[in-house]
Amino acid sequence: MNHTPSAAAPERSTPGAASVPPPPKFSRKSAMAVLVCWLLVVFDGYDLIVYGTVQSALISETDWGLTKATAGTVGSMAFAGMMIGAVFAGRMADTWGRRRTILGCSVLFSVFTILCAFAPNAYVFGALRLLAGIGLGGLVPSANALVAELVPAKWRSTIATLMMSGVPIGGSLAALVGIPLIPAFGWPVMFLVAVLALAVVIPLGLRYLPETLPPAAGTRTGPTAPESGRAGFGSLLRAPYLGVSVLYAVATLVTLFAWYGLGTWLPNLMQLAGYNLGSALTFALALNLGAVVGSVATAWAGTRFGPVPTAVAAATVAALALLVLVTGPPVTVVYLMLVLAGVGTHGTQCLVIAAVASHYPAHLRGTALGWALGVGRIGAVAAPQAGGLLLAAGLGVNSNFLAFAGAAAAAALLLLAVGAKTIRITSTPVGVNND
């Protein structure tokens, strides 16, 4: 078996890509920049999952009149903002520069997350979550694009996957913090944690984040193919990228449907299944710890076997684990299946990001990540609403697990198609279009 990481091959096969200088040597300063990006992704993950930890309190302890269905709609607001942020911030990172985009998105999500603690009603809370979501959605593609510029190509897939471990680590922190703080201080305190990002991590970003792509670089063109060398969504949606770009986007959509559906509804689902709040949050912790393990395991496996084949296996594991939950297994098995579901769902998404970061040339990388994550956020928007509507319709807890299992299975099938199409592209002589 060829053990060469998949990061290099697709870039060599990309016709018409602009000439981009190799990344600088991975220095201590570059390592600090990667660390800062990872810390920001941790806060991104915390802010995403925190709504799931306070959802029951918002329904039962406020006078906002929330029901399961309307709570799902409020939960979707952050993901709707993420869809906007992911699409436009990826493009901005390729044209205005990675550093400014990352810092701007970080300030945006931190400020509006803090303001959520003071929301007087569900409408203001939802609007603040929407605005915070724009920053949350813009951070991940921008940070991954920056990190891809800083690390050697052979480590690009591994580092991209490990970067995304910050999301479940942040989610795990939300569950851990929520267990003692929510009963003692109420739900608003969970949103005040974002003060740490403003006070600590963003100043570190101002010091250590470099600007790897000059503003003019996004519009430079290659000497032999001026149109295909231009950064922008139009370049993604024509040969040779069209088919793979669509498959990556839809695979991201169903994967995020499963991951964020679980992240939003799991504590509430487990309470409906008869567990108290503390136990329900430990189930959420198991899911997020599984996602952390999945980030590390899939980073190794993605480098060893390639990100796309590993993503197919991870999505299959998630689908099977969620199906086991439907059978009502003993509590020990429930914990194990949730760990595997975390490994599979989040691991799949990490690997998709790694594959996208490796497949496209540097001048399109941020745009491609923004496209995949932006379209994928449709799944993140739909999942909280779907979960609430299934419960409101009286279909029970298992209907949610079945829906999320189906989404994971669909991701496996779509990524099989990505693998097949990538093989066809790399085996086609340069200059022959496959789309």
Side-chain angles (χ1 to χ4, degrees):
M1 179 178 292
N2 183 5
H3 293 212
T4 302
S6 60
E11 291 203 18
R12 283 197 305 267
S13 65
T14 303
S19 177
V20 178
K25 184 179 179 181
F26 193 59
S27 62
R28 179 181 177 276
K29 188 172 182 179
S30 297
M32 286 300 300
V34 172
L35 177 61
V36 169
C37 286
W38 179 81
L39 288 172
L40 289 170
V41 173
V42 170
F43 278 98
D44 188 296
Y46 177 94
D47 285 4
L48 281 175
I49 303 301
V50 69
Y51 179 75
T53 68
V54 304
Q55 186 183 65
S56 295
L58 293 177
I59 294 173
S60 61
E61 298 176 14
T62 67
D63 57 358
W64 294 355
L66 289 175
T67 64
K68 291 181 177 65
T70 55
T73 301
V74 171
S76 296
M77 297 304 291
F79 300 119
M82 291 179 72
M83 180 169 59
I84 299 169
V87 169
F88 289 103
R91 181 73 177 94
M92 287 161 54
D94 281 343
T95 54
W96 296 354
R98 324 291 200 204
R99 182 177 186 269
R100 283 184 288 179
T101 305
I102 290 169
L103 292 173
C105 288
S106 300
V107 171
L108 189 67
F109 81 69
S110 299
V111 169
F112 286 110
T113 296
I114 293 167
L115 291 177
C116 284
F118 307 100
N121 54 55
Y123 298 102
V124 173
F125 183 88
L128 291 171
R129 290 292 286 168
L130 174 71
L131 293 169
I134 294 174
L136 293 169
L139 174 66
V140 171
S142 306
N144 275 282
L146 174 63
V147 169
E149 301 295 329
L150 295 176
V151 302
K154 66 178 181 178
W155 292 108
R156 193 170 290 149
S157 290
T158 302
I159 297 298
T161 307
L162 290 175
M163 270 280 295
M164 292 309 296
S165 70
V167 174
I169 288 174
S172 300
L173 290 173
L176 283 171
V177 168
I179 292 172
L181 289 189
I182 294 175
F185 302 103
W187 64 266
V189 71
M190 297 295 291
F191 294 94
L192 296 177
V193 174
V195 170
L196 294 174
L198 275 178
V200 179
V201 184
I202 292 174
L204 289 174
L206 287 169
R207 178 174 179 180
Y208 288 109
L209 294 184
E211 189 55 86
T212 61
L213 187 67
T219 57
R220 289 178 184 168
T221 58
T224 59
E227 290 300 317
S228 62
R230 185 175 298 143
F233 293 111
S235 298
L236 297 180
L237 300 179
R238 65 165 67 99
Y241 303 114
L242 174 60
V244 170
S245 294
V246 171
L247 288 170
Y248 276 135
V250 181
T252 303
L253 187 156
V254 292
T255 301
L256 292 182
F257 181 92
W259 167 243
Y260 287 121
L262 285 168
T264 300
W265 278 106
L266 185 61
N268 198 273
L269 291 174
M270 302 316 287
Q271 283 187 279
L272 291 173
Y275 299 94
N276 60 37
L277 176 62
S279 297
L281 289 176
T282 60
F283 286 120
L285 181 60
L287 176 74
N288 282 282
L289 289 177
V292 175
V293 172
S295 299
V296 177
T298 54
W300 172 83
T303 301
R304 176 70 171 77
F305 303 108
V308 173
T310 308
V312 172
T316 302
V317 167
L320 293 175
L322 291 169
L323 287 175
V324 171
L325 291 178
V326 176
T327 66
V331 65
T332 303
V333 177
V334 172
Y335 277 111
L336 177 60
M337 291 303 105
L338 288 172
V339 168
L340 291 177
V343 170
T345 52
H346 186 71
T348 300
Q349 186 53 40
C350 289
L351 289 159
V352 170
I353 289 174
V356 171
S358 298
H359 183 82
Y360 294 88
H363 71 286
L364 279 177
R365 191 170 289 127
T367 305
L369 287 164
W371 158 259
L373 288 167
V375 174
R377 297 303 177 190
I378 296 172
V381 171
Q385 295 190 68
L389 291 173
L390 289 170
L391 291 175
L395 296 178
V397 170
N398 284 343
S399 64
N400 274 251
F401 290 134
L402 285 172
F404 303 145
L413 294 175
L414 288 162
L415 290 165
L416 279 173
V418 168
K421 190 161 190 66
T422 302
I423 290 172
R424 288 201 301 273
I425 290 174
T426 55
S427 63
T428 302
V430 173
V432 177
N433 289 338
N434 239 333
D435 285 299

